[in-house]
Amino acid sequence: MTAMMLDDSEASDAELIGRARGGDRGAFGKLLERHYGFVYRAAYRWCGRKADAEDIAQDVCVRLGRAIRDYQGNGAFTTWLYAMTLNAARDMMRKRARDTAKTEAYGTYALIAGSAEGQDPTEALWAAVRMLPDKQRDAVLLVYGEGLNHAAAAEVMAISETTVSWHIHEAKKRLKVVMRSAGEV
């Protein structure tokens, strides 16, 4: 007697996951196809913008490709996928907040510095940052240049998070003085 194979549309999530974990790209593609709408809807509810929801859904697809082997099957796949979607949405919003803060900081700098014609205002700011004392410079470069949060910068610098915050605060005060003395204000 021949065993009848289920086609991918009838295969359960558990079967598709098992095959995808084993490297079956077709099973992985079917799993994505089956759950993409769910991921997109969850992302859209979280962010409220179509373009952002599409970006989040694509990010989840990429993450799923790397993480499918780690799925243990202890809970529902959709629960795990939902958590992955929310994490991707939160990551995108945190990145957007960092980017907005950088843009606003640059805008404030441009207003304060009144950039000279022909001079790159960004380079003038980073030149001023390079003039800071070492710890302050490092904190500014890690937080504003690399986009790390204060906790991550503290880990890199092997100091406490509050010390990073203090270095950033002091750096901002010094940058105002340096920019004023350079005639940038």
Side-chain angles (χ1 to χ4, degrees):
M1 175 185 259
T2 344
M4 182 190 271
M5 294 293 294
L6 294 175
D7 78 15
D8 284 346
S9 64
E10 296 175 17
S12 71
D13 282 352
E15 291 171 303
L16 291 174
I17 291 165
R19 289 173 31 205
R21 289 176 73 183
D24 184 337
R25 291 178 185 219
F28 181 75
K30 185 62 186 173
L31 200 57
L32 283 178
E33 181 181 317
R34 183 178 288 175
H35 293 285
Y36 184 84
F38 168 78
V39 170
Y40 174 81
R41 285 188 305 277
Y44 184 81
R45 280 191 300 273
W46 203 88
C47 67
R49 294 184 53 199
K50 182 180 178 193
D52 290 345
E54 290 170 351
D55 289 345
I56 292 167
Q58 288 176 7
D59 186 37
V60 170
C61 291
V62 171
R63 289 180 185 202
L64 184 60
R66 289 184 290 235
I68 191 73
R69 287 187 172 94
D70 296 332
Y71 177 66
Q72 299 298 314
N74 298 333
F77 179 69
T78 53
T79 302
W80 185 70
L81 195 54
Y82 187 76
M84 187 180 291
T85 303
L86 289 183
N87 285 336
R90 289 181 186 123
D91 289 348
M92 187 188 84
M93 294 302 172
R94 280 191 290 267
K95 182 182 183 310
R96 178 169 290 145
R98 284 191 307 268
D99 291 346
T100 299
K102 287 179 190 176
T103 301
E104 288 173 359
Y106 174 74
T108 301
Y109 164 75
L111 287 174
I112 292 171
S115 63
E117 200 167 318
Q119 181 183 12
D120 182 7
T122 304
E123 185 52 42
L125 175 60
W126 288 116
V129 168
R130 287 188 291 273
M131 294 172 58
L132 292 170
D134 291 346
K135 297 264 184 188
Q136 291 176 16
R137 182 197 60 232
D138 293 348
V140 169
L141 290 173
L142 289 170
V143 172
Y144 293 105
E146 297 301 319
L148 298 180
N149 62 32
H150 288 208
E155 189 174 323
V156 170
M157 295 175 69
I159 58 177
S160 73
E161 186 175 345
T162 54
T163 304
V164 169
S165 298
W166 180 81
H167 283 308
I168 295 289
H169 173 74
E170 290 299 309
K172 287 178 181 179
K173 290 189 327 189
R174 282 185 184 257
L175 284 172
K176 285 180 184 176
V177 171
V178 168
M179 298 307 285
R180 282 188 186 122
S181 68
E184 295 289 327
V185 179

